[in-house]
Amino acid sequence: MLTLHTDDACPMKLESDRRKTPRRTMNGGAMAVFSDGPGPGTLSRVEVLDASWTGIGVRSPAPVMPGSSVSLVPESPMWPRQTGIVVRCEPDGQGAYRVGIMSKRRSAVA
């Protein structure tokens, strides 16, 4: 189940943090498909760490190339599928990788 913690901002700060919008800590898992080319992509279970209006932070068991496309399907049915582009991937010091995803926005069709 994906849980939003609305009373605190994300406690994990990256050394070169360039976020312009505040993020909220989230707990939960998702299945992610990372694709960096015309192939089928790589399926991986990730942990959702935080989210904002512009992006999502996840923990991945394997490194992901910045520029890769990603599609996230959360375990919680209350959170919609998300798509985006990987903008950063850094080791988290615990054998996994912190991946920053910039959300793709869909324009409304008139």
Side-chain angles (χ1 to χ4, degrees), residues 4-109:
L4 171 63
H5 298 277
T6 56
D7 57 342
D8 56 22
C10 177
M12 180 182 276
K13 293 289 184 187
L14 300 173
E15 284 184 31
S16 59
D17 197 350
R18 299 178 306 231
R19 297 173 182 164
K20 292 186 167 110
T21 59
R23 291 194 174 225
R24 297 292 179 196
T25 302
M26 309 220 19
N27 294 321
M31 293 304 295
V33 177
F34 297 105
S35 178
D36 62 356
T42 302
L43 180 65
S44 179
R45 186 181 185 292
V46 297
E47 178 186 354
V48 179
L49 301 173
D50 57 46
S52 73
W53 289 107
T54 60
I56 302 165
V58 301
R59 178 174 289 127
S60 171
V64 182
M65 183 68 96
S68 298
S69 295
V70 61
S71 178
L72 290 174
V73 180
E75 292 172 345
S76 171
M78 300 303 292
W79 196 52
R81 179 178 160 267
Q82 302 285 316
T83 59
I85 301 293
V86 174
V87 293
R88 66 186 320 139
C89 179
E90 299 174 351
D92 70 357
Q94 300 173 1
Y97 296 85
R98 170 120 182 160
V99 178
I101 300 167
M102 181 173 59
S103 296
K104 286 185 180 176
R105 299 183 192 272
R106 293 187 179 152
S107 299
V109 178

